[in-house]
Every structure is written in structure tokens, then in C-alpha cells.
Amino acid sequence: MPGFYTTFEAARLLGVSLPTVVNWIEARRLKAHRTPGGHRRIAREELAAFMLRHGMPVPDELSGAAPARRKVLVVAEPGPAREGTARQLAVAGYAVEQAAPGFAAGATAARFAPDAVVLHASGPDGGESLRAFRADRELAGVPVVAVAHADWGEPLREAGCAAAVTRPLVDGALAAAVDAALRASGPAPLKIRGGRRARAKRAGDAD
């Protein structure tokens, strides 16, 4: 199995035309290097990561190269804002699930075992959902990144958020905040063990 692919081979795996791959490389969306002979080569790991970032199915040929995706739970009321947040995180390479504040958030967290939570804050204290996550023994170590008004940043951090990102979201800002929060919290993902129904109830008493 090759460690590097030509642009032609990459186009085949991506299911796009050769000029499209070249355009992505020139736009620095897809990383490649040149051989001493001037030919472009794309690392197997980079190709797999690119597919994950853009929601493309990873073929079996690249499955071993695909990095494990960190999991993010987006907690917000259903609607375009939540969908947009989830889409930004998925494009950045995260595995994403969504839940409404309240019982659904607690139940989804117990099942999904997120590495981080993105919370659309309903107030400067983060609301009942944030308090429930911070009070839960199994979820207390999961970093929470709030999406909030600009003047809520400091109160939200005092309430237990790892970071607060101002809305409307600027491209890349949310993913960068989640990435920083995950690095600060350490590499090991949270493991949810037993008692899921009880934890869902505690984390789920709604905003």
C-alpha cells in the first residue's frame, strides 16, 4: 500500500477530476509536496484527513490512515444556527452529534461520550445545561466551549466554560477554540461508564 499518491491516484480515490485536485493543492486546501523531479505527491495520511474534514467517505484503501476523530456534542435549540455550528465542526474533521438543551443533551452525552461540548449559551451563566454538565461526575472533565454574545465571555469562563466564541461565528474560530480546549484537557477521551439513565436525567433537566 503506497505511502504517497500521485495527483491522478488522489483524484481517483476522491472521485473528482485531476484539475480539481490540482486546484485544491494550489489553493492550499490539500497538502502536497514535490519530488526532486517536480512531481506532486500527497501523503496517505493527508488524503484520509482531507476526506474526513470534508465529509467524504474514506475508502478501505485509506482506512488505516484515517486519524481517530474527536467527538463534539453541539447543544442548542434546533434550527439553522445549530446546523451551521455542526457543519463547521464536521468540516474541521470532528465527529458531531446534536441535541437540544435539557434531557436530550444529557441522554445524548451519556450515549455519545463526547470529547468536547459546544453550547449555544442562553445566558451569561450558561444556563442549566452547563451547570448540569459541570456537576456530573462523569462529564465534569469534558471541556465546554460556549457560543455566546461578546460580553458574556468572562462570566461563562467563570461558570466553567473552557472558552467562549462570539457569535456570529467567524470561519475557523469555533474549530480553533475546540481544538485548544481539547489540547488543554489532555489527549484521552472521556469514557462513560454505567448509570447512563441516571446521568442523563441529571444532565438533562432543561434550560
Side-chain angles (χ1 to χ4, degrees):
M1 191 171 295
F4 295 90
Y5 291 90
T6 66
T7 50
F8 178 81
E9 292 167 335
R12 173 181 59 81
L13 290 168
L14 290 164
V16 298
S17 67
L18 178 59
T20 297
V21 171
V22 173
N23 287 339
W24 284 342
I25 292 171
E26 291 178 347
R28 298 186 178 181
R29 294 177 61 189
L30 179 61
K31 294 179 184 177
H33 73 275
R34 286 191 181 273
T35 67
H39 302 291
R40 291 187 175 97
R41 293 292 183 269
I42 303 161
R44 184 167 174 262
E45 293 77 11
E46 169 58 24
L47 197 55
F50 179 87
M51 290 178 168
L52 287 176
R53 286 197 303 272
H54 294 278
M56 299 177 177
V58 178
D60 292 342
E61 183 175 342
L62 294 175
S63 60
R69 293 198 291 172
R70 306 300 293 271
K71 298 187 290 185
V72 180
L73 173 62
V74 177
V75 178
E77 295 294 345
R82 190 176 84 180
E83 293 292 337
T85 299
R87 187 162 49 250
Q88 285 193 30
L89 292 166
V91 167
Y94 293 104
V96 182
E97 287 216 16
Q98 306 174 39
F103 180 82
T108 304
R111 172 183 56 79
F112 184 53
D115 298 303
V117 172
V118 170
L119 172 67
H120 281 231
S122 58
D125 63 352
E128 185 60 32
S129 289
L130 178 60
R131 288 191 290 274
F133 281 127
R134 294 286 69 102
D136 189 287
R137 182 171 59 86
E138 297 288 357
L139 298 172
V142 177
V144 176
V145 175
V147 177
H149 297 298
D151 55 351
W152 291 359
E154 189 59 33
L156 283 165
R157 283 186 286 271
E158 291 176 356
C161 287
V165 181
T166 302
R167 53 188 173 209
L169 294 173
V170 177
D171 283 350
L174 178 60
V178 171
D179 183 59
L182 286 169
R183 287 200 307 271
S185 69
L190 177 73
K191 301 298 183 184
I192 302 292
R193 301 181 301 276
R196 292 185 175 185
R197 183 173 298 178
R199 285 198 303 280
K201 185 175 181 181
R202 288 201 305 274
D205 291 335
D207 288 341

